[in-house]
Amino acid sequence: MDLRLLEPRALWLLGAALPLVALYVLRARRVRVRVPSTWLWEAARREALARRPWQRLRPEASLLLELLAVLALSLAAAKPVVRRPEARAHVALIIDESASMGTRESASTRLELARRAAEAFLRAVPSDTDVLVLGAAHEARVLSAPTRDPTALRAALQRARAWDVEGGLDEALRLADDRLRALGGSGRIVVVSDGAVARSGSARPRVPVELLRVGAPVINVALSRVELRAARDPRGHDVVQAFALVANLGEAATTISLTARLSPGGEALASHTLELPAGGRVPVTLTFPALAGREGLGVVLEKTPPDALTADDRVFAVIPPGRSLAVTVDAPEEEPWLLRALAADPEVVVRRGPSREAPEDGLLFVLGACPAAVPSRSVVVLGPPPGRCGEVSVGAAVEAPRITAYATTDPRLRFLTLDGVHLVRATPLELGPHATALVRSDLGVLAADASDALGTRTVLGFTPGESDWPLHASFVVFVRNTVELARAQRARRLAGSSRTAEPLRVEVPGSVTALTARTPEGSVTLPVVDGAALLGETRRAGLYALRWPGGESLRPVNFLSEREGDLRGATWVPPQGARSSSPRGAPPPRELPGPWLALLAALAALGDLLWLSRTKRLTRGAA
Amino acid sequence: MSALELLDPGFVARLEALRRRLVVRASAGLGGERSSRRRGASADFAEHRPYSPGDDLRRIDWAAFARSGEPVLKLFRAEEDALVRLAVDTSASLEGPKLDHAVRLAAALGYLALAAGERVQLVPFADAPAEGPAPSRGRRAVPALFQALSELTARGATDLSRGLEPALSARRPGLLLVLSDFLDRAGFEGPLRRACAAGHEVALVQVLAPEELDPALEGDLVLEDSETGDAVELTLDARALAAYRARLGALFAALRGFARTHRAGYVRALTDRPLEDAVLRVLDHAVEEPWT
C-alpha cells in the first residue's frame, strides 16, 4: 500500500507530545489521602523505593491515551492518502525494432521518429504512472522495467535498435499483457511502429492496445533471395553462379544495378543492370570465374542505387567449391575396379598416394588399412585388418558371407541393389556405440557407417577384389554416391547460408571446446558442446567469421523479407475487442478519512477522561 | 458521639443484657468475674455493698442481711481501692468511627464495672494526660461516665507514656484498660511495661477500622498523617500493600507478644464488629490469635 501525506507539515503537531510527557514526568499527580498514621506506610515506601527507584517512570494509561490522541490528530491534519496497488495505472510501451524501422525518412529514420513519438507520449503520461518499455523485433525484449523515472525511460528508448530482422509484435504483446497483469491495476499497451509488420499475429491482450504510427509510405526495392553455386561454363571452365531475386515494392518501374564483390577486398566479380516493373520480381544471375583459392571467400551482392531501406539492399554469400573433387586412393596395390568406377565421374580428380597427403575437403579411399588420423573429412575404408577401426572392431575373416540386408535409405546405398552380389571372403564388423550397420550378412555386419564429428567414415569389411561386386552396376553407383556425399558435405562446410534471427549452428572437431565468432555486432566466444557451437543472436546481416584452433569458417547471414521491405503502408492493426480495464489515467488516490482519525483522537481523549475520573479506591475519611 | 447516644435506652438495654450474660456465665462456672492477681491486703472491714448475682456467697454479711433484709457484701480495705481505669486514646488517629467505637467500648466496660460495684475512672489521653472525671462507683455513676465519654474528641498526637502518666504513677494499681490503636511511633511497650511493673492488671483493646487491615487504596498517593500532618508520597501497588500489611502484622505480633509475656489481655476490636464480642473477650482476658 502506497501511503503519502498531503500536508506533511501538519506533523509538527506531534511536537505536542513532548510537553505532555514532560508534564507527566515532572508534575506530581498524586491524590492526597488522610490516614490515621503514616507510620506503617513509611516502611512500605522505603521498601518500594529500594526495589524500584524508577517507579516514577511507570507507564501511565492516561499518558498513553493522550499521546494516542495527539498522534491521531496529527495524522488527520497531515491528510494521509493511500493508493492500493490495484488502483495504479501502468503502461507498456512497445517499440518496433524490425528492419523496416531503419527506413530513412528525410534526415531521420523511422526508429528515430518512433523515439520522438514515444518521448512525447511519456511526457503526457501522469507522473505517477509506471511505464514498461519493450522492444519488438523477431522476439521481444525488455528495454526497461516498470518505472516512472523519466531519465530511465529516455535511456530505454535510446537502447532500441532497428535490427535486420522481420518484425512480429505478438511476442511483445503477450509479454506486455503478462507483465501488466502481474502489476495489477489498470493498464494499456501502446505500440510505436510503422505498422510494416511481417508476421501478423494472434495475440489478444486483455488490455487496450493503441498504435502510435510513424513513417510515411515509401518505395523500396529489396533483394529477397540469394544463392551461389559452382558450375561449368560451356567451355568446361569452373564458374560460380550467383542467383538473386529482386523485388520492386513500389508503384513505378525502376532500374537498378546488382554487383557482386569479394568481401573483404571489394573486388568486383560481376555486375548486371536490370529494369524492374512496378511490383515485379525479377531473378538475376551473375556469373564469375571460380578461380582457385577463392573457395570459401565472402561475396556481397549489392543493389545500387540504395533506397530508403538499406537493410535489404545487400545480401551475403560464400564462394562454393568447384565441382571437381580430389579423390585419393591409398592402396598397396592398384585397384582397377575402384579406379574405373571413379573415372566414370569427369569431375573427379583421382590420384594415388598415402592417406596423410589427402586433401581435407577431398575423398579418401583406404584399402587394407585403417589409418588413425587422416586429413580428409570423407573416408572410405575397405578391407581393414582385424582390430579397432574407429567406431568399429574388425573381426576374423569369414568365408562366403551371404548379404541379407542393406540400408537402402543411406545416401551411399541409394539407387542400388546388392542382390546377387557374392563375397568370397570378408571380415565382420562389430559396431561401436556410434556406428550403424549399412550391410548385414548371415555372418555379421559387413559394412558400417562410422562417422564422427570430423567427417564421414565408411568401413567395408571386404575389398572389391574379394567379391564380384565390381561386376555389378551397383558398385559404380556406390562409388558415385560416395563421391556426391563428399561433395555435399564439402559444400555444407564451406557455404551454409542462414537468415537473420535464426540461430547459427557450427560443427567443429570434437577436440575443440570453444570458438570465436566475429559478427557485424562484434566478437563473441562460444562454447562448444558435443562438437557444435550455437550463436543465438543473428540480428545483423553480414558475413560471420568463425575461428577455432585448427580451423575456420565463413557463414553468410542474410535479411531476406519482402513483407518487411514493403513500406508502402501499415499492415499491422492493433487487436480489436480488447477489454477496456478502466478509464484512462490512474484513479485518484484514496484519502484516508480524516474524520475517522479525528474520531479516534476524540475517543482516546474520552477514554483518558474516563480513566482520570474513575473512582479510585480510597479509605473513608480521606481528603 | 453525644451522651444521648450512649444513654440511649437501647444501648443501655444492650449493656444490661450483656451484664446478665456475664452473670449467667459466672453462675455456670464459666467465669465472668475477672480473676485478679491481687488479693485484699487488708482484713479491715471497709464497707458494705449490695449483693450482685455472681458475687461470692461466702462474702455476704448475713448479719446485715438479717437486719436489712437486703443481701450485702463486706468489702475490705484492699478491695475498696481496686479501680478500673478506662484509658481511652483520644489522639487524632482515632478520629471518626474509631473514637466512636472506643467510646462505646469504654462505655460498655465502664457500665459493667459500675454495675458490678467496681470503681471506674475515665482516663482520656493523647500526647498528654487529659483531665477526666474522678473515680466513681455504682450505677449512679453511669450517666456521668457516659457524659464524660461523649465529650471526648480526637485530636493531637499519640504519646502513651505521657498520656498514661497519671495511671502509671497512681498509688494503688488496678485494672488498666487501654483503648487505643497503638499507632505510636514511640512504641507502646515502655509505658505498658511500667504499668505492669506498677502492679496494674493491663488489658489492651486495639481499636481499628477494617480498612486499616485491608486498605483499599491504589495509584499515586500522598498519605497525610492525621496526627502530625506529615505527608508520605507513595505509589500504592500490591507490593506496597504487602509491605504495609507486613508492618501491621508485626505490630499485632508485638502486642500479642507483650500480652502473653505480661499476662495482659489483648483484644483487637474492629469498628465493624459487634461491640459485645470485643467486650466479652476483654472480660475473658483473651489474647488475640496471630493475624494472618
Side-chain angles (χ1 to χ4, degrees):
Chain A
M1 190 174 288
D2 182 20
L3 179 68
R4 297 183 187 179
L5 302 174
L6 295 181
E7 297 289 343
R9 290 174 299 178
L11 288 178
W12 67 264
L13 288 172
L14 287 173
L18 291 174
L20 200 63
V21 173
L23 276 174
Y24 265 82
V25 173
L26 298 175
R27 183 177 143 203
R29 300 171 58 189
R30 295 180 181 273
V31 175
R32 204 169 186 88
V33 177
R34 188 178 171 88
V35 294
S37 175
T38 58
W39 171 50
L40 298 176
W41 291 107
E42 287 174 355
R45 176 171 173 271
R46 283 195 295 272
E47 289 182 20
L49 286 178
R51 272 196 292 268
R52 291 182 294 175
W54 56 87
Q55 202 170 16
R56 294 190 68 174
L57 299 180
R58 187 167 54 95
E60 178 75 40
S62 181
L63 173 63
L64 292 176
L65 286 169
E66 291 176 13
L67 288 176
L68 177 61
V70 168
L71 177 64
L73 276 174
S74 302
L75 277 178
K79 294 186 181 178
V81 294
V82 64
R83 171 173 288 136
R84 291 171 301 209
E86 58 271 20
R88 294 175 61 177
H90 303 91
V91 173
L93 186 64
I94 299 176
I95 307 297
D96 186 352
E97 292 187 302
S98 63
S100 64
M101 296 301 287
T103 302
R104 184 157 293 279
E105 299 200 13
S106 302
S108 301
T109 62
R110 286 184 176 180
L111 180 65
E112 289 165 359
L113 295 176
R115 287 200 188 102
R116 288 187 213 138
E119 287 174 0
F121 168 80
L122 291 175
R123 281 193 292 270
V125 167
S127 60
D128 59 351
T129 298
D130 289 329
V131 179
L132 162 72
V133 183
L134 302 174
H138 59 290
E139 57 188 14
R141 63 177 184 141
V142 177
L143 296 176
S144 170
T147 181
R148 60 190 68 173
D149 181 6
T151 305
L153 291 172
R154 279 196 297 274
L157 294 177
Q158 292 302 316
R159 285 194 286 273
R161 294 286 181 274
W163 303 106
D164 299 337
V165 297
E166 278 189 333
L169 295 173
D170 271 3
E171 192 172 323
L173 288 171
R174 291 195 187 96
L175 180 60
D177 192 34
D178 286 344
R179 290 291 181 98
L180 291 176
R181 188 150 41 96
L183 290 169
S186 64
R188 57 190 173 122
I189 298 174
V190 175
V191 179
V192 187
S193 170
D194 58 358
V197 177
R199 292 178 284 154
S200 60
S202 57
R204 288 287 180 270
R206 277 161 279 199
V207 296
V209 181
E210 56 185 277
L211 170 66
L212 291 182
R213 189 180 167 188
V214 296
V218 295
I219 306 302
N220 184 39
V221 174
L223 295 176
S224 59
R225 189 82 63 84
V226 65
E227 188 177 351
L228 265 62
R229 290 183 191 170
R232 281 199 171 163
D233 62 8
R235 289 193 290 265
H237 297 141
D238 287 336
V239 295
V240 176
Q241 292 178 321
F243 301 97
L245 188 63
V246 186
N248 181 4
L249 304 171
E251 306 301 331
T254 185
T255 300
I256 61 109
S257 291
L258 188 63
T259 304
R261 298 178 187 278
L262 273 180
S263 177
E267 175 188 339
L269 300 171
S271 181
H272 184 71
T273 300
L274 64 154
E275 284 194 12
L276 296 168
R281 287 170 181 74
V282 177
V284 179
T285 302
L286 301 177
T287 303
F288 52 89
L291 300 178
R294 287 190 176 183
E295 295 171 352
L297 292 183
V299 172
V300 178
L301 273 69
E302 190 166 5
K303 171 187 72 67
T304 53
D307 49 27
L309 180 61
T310 58
D312 56 6
D313 288 350
R314 293 193 303 172
V315 288
F316 303 86
V318 172
I319 296 177
R323 289 289 301 172
S324 295
L325 181 70
V327 177
T328 304
V329 178
D330 182 358
E333 297 172 356
E334 194 162 311
E335 284 286 335
W337 308 107
L338 180 60
L339 295 175
R340 193 173 303 147
L342 288 168
D345 187 340
E347 295 178 334
V348 167
V349 177
V350 182
R351 75 174 191 86
R352 289 188 62 194
S355 301
R356 60 181 181 276
E357 294 178 3
E360 180 184 347
D361 57 353
L363 176 61
L364 172 65
F365 284 90
V366 182
L367 283 82
C370 186
V374 294
S376 295
R377 295 179 181 273
S378 297
V379 180
V380 180
V381 178
L382 300 99
R388 193 81 192 162
C389 186
E391 287 292 318
V392 300
S393 293
V394 183
V398 297
E399 300 293 330
R402 188 166 53 85
I403 294 174
T404 57
Y406 51 95
T408 57
T409 59
D410 189 87
R412 287 159 283 201
L413 301 179
R414 203 160 34 190
F415 309 129
L416 63 83
T417 176
L418 294 179
D419 295 341
V421 174
H422 297 93
L423 283 78
V424 176
R425 192 183 304 107
T427 52
L429 308 174
E430 191 174 323
L431 302 180
H434 300 293
T436 55
L438 293 176
V439 179
R440 292 183 185 273
S441 74
D442 58 344
L443 296 178
V445 175
L446 300 182
D449 171 59
S451 301
D452 56 21
L454 294 175
T456 305
R457 184 177 285 252
T458 308
V459 181
L460 274 66
F462 58 93
T463 62
E466 292 174 324
S467 69
D468 64 351
W469 196 17
L471 302 179
H472 295 262
S474 59
F475 178 74
V476 177
V477 177
F478 166 76
V479 173
R480 290 288 299 271
N481 288 344
T482 306
V483 169
E484 287 303 317
L485 184 61
R487 279 201 180 99
Q489 289 178 338
R490 180 184 65 173
R492 211 163 36 242
R493 283 192 297 273
L494 294 179
S497 173
S498 299
R499 298 182 63 174
T500 53
E502 292 177 356
L504 191 63
R505 190 170 186 275
V506 182
E507 292 180 356
V508 295
S511 58
V512 177
T513 58
L515 62 81
T516 303
R518 197 172 67 242
T519 75
E521 293 185 72
S523 290
V524 62
T525 300
L526 302 174
V528 174
V529 180
D530 293 335
L534 193 68
L535 177 63
E537 295 287 343
T538 55
R539 298 178 294 192
R540 287 280 182 230
L543 290 166
Y544 285 57
L546 307 156
R547 197 181 298 270
W548 60 88
E552 60 182 5
S553 175
L554 194 65
R555 302 290 285 273
V557 177
N558 287 305
F559 166 62
L560 305 168
S561 175
E562 287 185 26
R563 295 184 63 177
E564 186 68 27
D566 192 343
L567 308 175
R568 287 173 287 188
T571 59
W572 184 75
V573 178
Q576 297 299 318
R579 181 173 54 84
S580 177
S581 61
S582 71
R584 291 210 175 189
R590 186 167 62 89
E591 182 173 341
L592 282 177
W596 286 107
L597 289 170
L599 178 62
L600 177 63
L603 286 174
L606 180 63
D608 181 39
L609 188 65
L610 291 173
W611 175 261
L612 288 176
S613 63
R614 78 193 190 287
T615 302
K616 287 194 175 68
R617 295 179 297 167
L618 301 175
T619 54
R620 276 179 293 176
Chain B
M1 176 171 289
S2 69
L4 287 176
E5 291 180 59
L6 290 176
L7 292 170
D8 177 67
F11 180 67
V12 175
R14 285 172 61 193
L15 296 179
E16 188 59 29
L18 181 61
R19 192 189 68 80
R20 285 195 293 273
R21 278 175 62 187
L22 292 173
V23 170
V24 170
R25 286 176 62 183
S27 301
L30 298 177
E33 189 175 72
R34 63 176 175 83
S35 59
S36 172
R37 289 180 296 139
R38 291 184 54 81
R39 293 288 182 265
S42 169
D44 296 336
F45 169 76
E47 62 175 355
H48 286 106
R49 75 167 174 83
Y51 171 79
S52 294
D55 290 338
D56 188 356
L57 292 174
R58 293 172 295 176
R59 297 178 62 185
I60 293 177
D61 187 346
W62 296 107
F65 176 55
R67 285 196 299 275
S68 64
E70 292 288 331
V72 294
L73 296 180
K74 285 185 179 177
L75 294 180
F76 295 92
R77 193 170 302 280
E79 292 167 329
E80 181 185 18
D81 290 336
L83 176 62
V84 176
R85 290 183 176 86
L86 298 171
V88 180
D89 184 355
T90 60
S91 63
S93 64
L94 272 85
E95 67 183 355
K98 286 170 67 176
L99 183 63
D100 290 347
H101 199 67
V103 163
R104 288 178 187 273
L105 280 171
L109 292 167
Y111 176 88
L112 291 173
L114 290 172
E118 308 272 0
R119 283 198 306 157
V120 174
Q121 180 184 19
L122 175 62
V123 183
F125 73 94
D127 52 2
E131 190 166 337
S136 55
R137 188 199 300 273
R139 291 175 182 267
R140 293 190 300 272
V142 169
L145 174 63
F146 284 13
Q147 180 67 34
L149 285 169
S150 67
E151 293 173 353
L152 295 179
T153 56
R155 61 167 162 260
T158 305
D159 189 336
L160 271 170
S161 183
R162 291 185 63 192
L164 295 180
E165 184 58 35
L168 300 178
S169 57
R171 242 178 351 103
R172 303 269 185 191
L175 173 61
L176 178 61
L177 293 168
V178 182
L179 293 92
S180 172
D181 56 9
F182 295 100
L183 299 179
D184 186 1
R185 293 171 187 273
F188 63 89
E189 292 197 19
L192 292 179
R193 198 178 297 121
R194 279 182 58 197
C196 292
H200 291 280
E201 188 175 336
V202 176
L204 309 177
V205 182
Q206 187 178 27
V207 181
L208 294 172
E211 51 267 29
E212 289 183 274
L213 267 63
D214 186 18
L217 299 173
E218 69 171 345
D220 296 328
L221 303 173
V222 177
L223 303 179
E224 182 183 336
D225 193 304
S226 58
E227 294 185 3
T228 63
D230 293 339
V232 172
E233 289 187 0
L234 184 63
T235 298
L236 263 171
D237 55 8
R239 277 189 172 178
L241 286 172
Y244 167 81
R245 286 173 60 86
R247 194 69 186 84
L248 185 65
L251 173 63
F252 293 165
L255 286 164
R256 182 169 183 273
F258 175 87
R260 293 182 76 86
T261 303
H262 297 86
R263 297 188 196 176
Y266 167 51
V267 172
R268 205 177 304 127
L270 298 181
T271 56
D272 62 342
R273 299 285 172 81
L275 189 75
E276 290 81 351
D277 292 343
V279 170
L280 288 174
R281 297 211 313 277
V282 171
L283 296 180
D284 286 342
H285 209 61
V287 175
E288 286 288 347
E289 292 300 318
W291 183 58
T292 55

